[in-house]
Structures are given as C-alpha cells and as structure tokens.
C-alpha cells in the first residue's frame, strides 16, 4: 500500500445539516468525473481533464475544503495494467489539477470480494480517515451508481454527474444530480439555486 510519489495513491484492502451545509471534504471519482474515461488507461499522455473541473477545484480550495480521489482500478486485478501505471496516471492528474489531499484506489478484480471496491464503502472510509474528517461529513461526486452506493454505505452524501455511460436507472435512483462537476461543487458551496440538484428517489434500485 505504499506509493513512492504521494501517500494518497494507495489501494485499500439528507445527512446532518441542511442542503447547503458545506462538506468536510469532497471525494471525487476519477474516470468519467475528473478526466475523460479511457478504459484501463496506463498512459499518462492520454489524460484529458473534463470541462469545469479546474474551476470546481479552485472553488473548493478557496473555501478551505480538502479533496480526495477514490477510484476503482480493476485493470490491475485483470492483468491489464500495473499498479505503477495507475500511480503514474494519477500523478499526471495531480499535476494537471494542482494536487489532491489523498488518492485511494482499489486494484482488485470485481469478483475478488474485497471491501474497498465501490459500491462498497472502503475507499470512502479510508479517504476520510486520511483527511482526518468523519466519513459522514464527506460528499462523493461521481458518474455512476457505484459511486453513490459507496457514499451511502459509508454514511456520506453523494452527487451524481451523469455522462454517456451512466445508466438511466442510476440517474433515476440518485439522491441528487448535477449536470457537471462545477455545478455539483457550486451546489455544495451554496452558490445559488441555479445549481440545485434534481431530487429524485432516496434509495438505489441498481447496482453495477
């Protein structure tokens, strides 16, 4: 579980307050949320930051809210890439976006039965521990149902930012949604009703 570059890039073996309560930390999914989703990407040169993400992170840093990345990287368990390649891609994202408080990823195969792979809560709990904040005071921003389920399992809040791979069932079931990461962050910071999420079902009916 060591990372030669920075401590956070490691694998790991409505909540309190009102709608605009600022989170103690914001935890982001990586692929499809912060950067374009390149399946099993092992090449840092393929990293492309999604629109609005730099500004969203600038707002969080200006507000003094720590950030982290929580990411499933099953390509390691599938034998499609190495942990070092995951770390190199993570480092490229860190460089492009100014650095996160910690990185936590799950390298296991989906059928390995680990406790960390989203939709299980291990990544969220570990990221919160490393940031020294309560998991239930965190918000997870991601693009698929597993991100929301992981947040809920850890007692955290979640905002779903749908994209082309998000299933309709996941959007329908999400506790709240935003059209993009910047809108999601503006929502969390209470920057205006125009960024309010779409409230829908309170429970999930789909598990990827």
């Amino acid at each position: 579980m060591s990372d030669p570059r920075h401590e956070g890039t490691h694998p790991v073996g409505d909540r309190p307050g009102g709608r605009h309560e600022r989170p103690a930390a914001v935890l982001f999914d990586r692929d499809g949320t912060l950067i374009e989703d390149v399946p099993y990407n092992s090449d840092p040169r393929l990293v492309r930051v999604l629109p609005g993400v730099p500004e969203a992170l600038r707002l969080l840093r200006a507000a003094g809210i720590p950030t982290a990345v929580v990411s499933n990287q099953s390509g390691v368990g599938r034998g499609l890439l190495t942990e070092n390649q995951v770390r190199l891609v993570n480092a490229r994202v860190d460089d492009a976006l100014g650095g996160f408080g910690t990185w936590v990823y799950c390298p296991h195969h989906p059928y390995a039965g680990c406790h960390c792979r989203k939709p299980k809560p291990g990544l969220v709990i570990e990221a919160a521990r490393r940031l020294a904040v309560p998991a239930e005071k965190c918000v997870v921003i991601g693009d698929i149902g597993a991100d929301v389920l992981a947040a809920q399992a850890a007692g955290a809040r979640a905002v779903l930012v749908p994209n082309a791979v998000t299933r309709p069932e996941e959007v329908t079931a999400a506790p709240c949604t935003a059209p993009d990461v910047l809108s999601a962050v503006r929502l969390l910071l209470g920057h205006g009703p125009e960024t309010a999420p779409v409230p829908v079902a309170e429970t999930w009916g789909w598990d990827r």
Side-chain angles (χ1 to χ4, degrees), residues 100-123:
F100 292 85
T102 192
W103 285 73
V104 194
Y105 70 88
C106 170
H108 303 114
H109 192 283
Y111 301 123
C114 68
H115 72 285
C116 50
R117 178 177 169 81
K118 295 178 290 185
K120 293 185 179 179
L123 295 178

Side-chain angles (χ1 to χ4, degrees), residues 133-158:
V133 299
E136 63 269 20
K137 295 288 188 179
C138 295
V139 175
V140 177
I141 297 178
D143 66 321
I144 63 172
D147 298 313
V148 176
L149 286 169
Q152 292 174 331
R157 291 181 288 160

Side-chain angles (χ1 to χ4, degrees), residues 152-204:
Q152 292 174 331
R157 291 181 288 160
V159 180
L160 183 73
V161 178
N163 57 32
V165 305
T166 313
R167 300 185 181 195
E169 297 91 339
E170 296 173 327
V171 178
T172 301
C176 64
T177 65
D180 51 57
V181 168
L182 179 56
S183 296
V185 167
R186 287 180 57 83
L187 161 72
L188 296 175
L189 296 178
H191 280 193
E194 73 280 1
T195 60
V198 179
V200 286
E202 296 181 356
T203 59
W204 278 88

